[in-house]
Amino acid sequence: MSLGTEQISNWMQTFRWIVKLIRDDFGIDEKILTRTAVLEEVGLTSEQLEQVLDFIAEAFEVTFPDDTLDEVVGLEDLCMLVSWMKGFYKKPDFVTDAFEAQCREANEMTA
């Protein structure tokens, strides 16, 4: 993984970055990596999904709570979560109060 994130400033750029990561590092066809794609149905194993989170966490300098893959269902959800954690986007609707507290505890978030 060698994709930089320095130029990313909105959720759509985040989405494209995540799609490229999954396509290039895990060989998943970009055609199925749509906004509505369900993470558990794109062809990645549980271990690979954890690796994706690890790569994203490192690149974007965020920390995901342990149960993130229980909260995040779709590719768009993952993108929105990362974007929110970085301050690029508003809090996603799927983020519950309890999960929000976990995210805020794990990261320095301004809003």
Side-chain angles (χ1 to χ4, degrees):
M1 183 211 47
S2 62
L3 298 171
T5 61
E6 303 80 25
Q7 302 299 318
I8 294 177
S9 61
N10 63 52
W11 74 268
M12 199 59 195
Q13 292 169 339
T14 305
F15 181 82
R16 284 193 292 269
W17 188 95
I18 292 171
V19 166
K20 288 177 184 176
L21 168 73
I22 296 171
R23 179 196 67 200
D24 295 349
D25 285 18
F26 297 93
I28 302 298
D29 187 347
E30 191 170 346
K31 291 177 190 167
I32 65 170
L33 298 174
T34 64
R35 289 176 52 181
T36 59
V38 175
L39 289 172
E40 292 183 347
E41 296 175 1
V42 297
L44 297 172
T45 66
S46 296
E47 293 80 20
Q48 289 173 320
L49 283 172
E50 290 290 343
Q51 280 184 301
V52 167
L53 287 186
D54 290 345
F55 291 155
I56 294 169
E58 182 180 332
F60 284 90
E61 299 176 342
V62 297
T63 302
F64 291 109
D66 290 337
D67 61 345
T68 296
L69 289 174
D70 294 333
E71 300 285 335
V72 175
V73 175
L75 186 56
E76 183 176 39
D77 295 345
L78 178 58
C79 164
M80 296 296 185
L81 179 65
V82 174
S83 295
W84 170 62
M85 293 168 87
K86 289 301 291 181
F88 304 150
Y89 195 74
K90 64 182 171 114
K91 182 181 94 171
D93 293 337
F94 71 87
V95 174
T96 63
D97 291 342
F99 188 61
E100 177 181 4
Q102 289 178 306
C103 290
R104 289 188 182 282
E105 184 177 315
N107 298 278
E108 294 181 26
M109 297 172 63
T110 57

